[in-house]
Amino acid sequence: MVEGLGAGALADIVERAKPDLLVIGTRRLAGVKRLLLGSVAQELMSSLEIDILAVPPVG
C-alpha cells in the first residue's frame, strides 16, 4: 500500500515495482478544469523514465 495522491503515489509504486510499461487511463478535461485539476498522465509522462501507454476514454 502507498500513501499519497495522484502522480506522486503512482510514481512511488513505479519506483518500487520497476515495471517495463505503465498503462494509465486518461480523462478528457479541457480548459479551466484541466488547469485546476491537472493531468496525472501528463505529469507521469514527463517525470518517469519508463514507457507509458496513455489510454483515452471510449466515446
Side-chain angles (χ1 to χ4, degrees):
M1 188 182 299
V2 174
E3 186 175 329
L5 297 173
L10 289 171
D12 288 345
I13 293 169
V14 168
E15 285 289 320
R16 291 181 189 178
K18 300 193 184 314
D20 293 324
L21 175 68
L22 175 64
V23 179
I24 187 166
T26 62
R27 300 182 297 171
R28 289 190 183 158
L29 295 180
V32 175
K33 280 188 179 181
R34 185 175 184 127
L35 181 65
L36 294 174
L37 297 175
S39 170
V40 171
Q42 186 173 1
E43 189 173 334
L44 289 171
M45 285 188 274
S46 67
S47 66
L48 295 178
E49 302 222 1
I50 64 167
D51 292 329
I52 299 174
L53 175 62
V55 181
V58 176

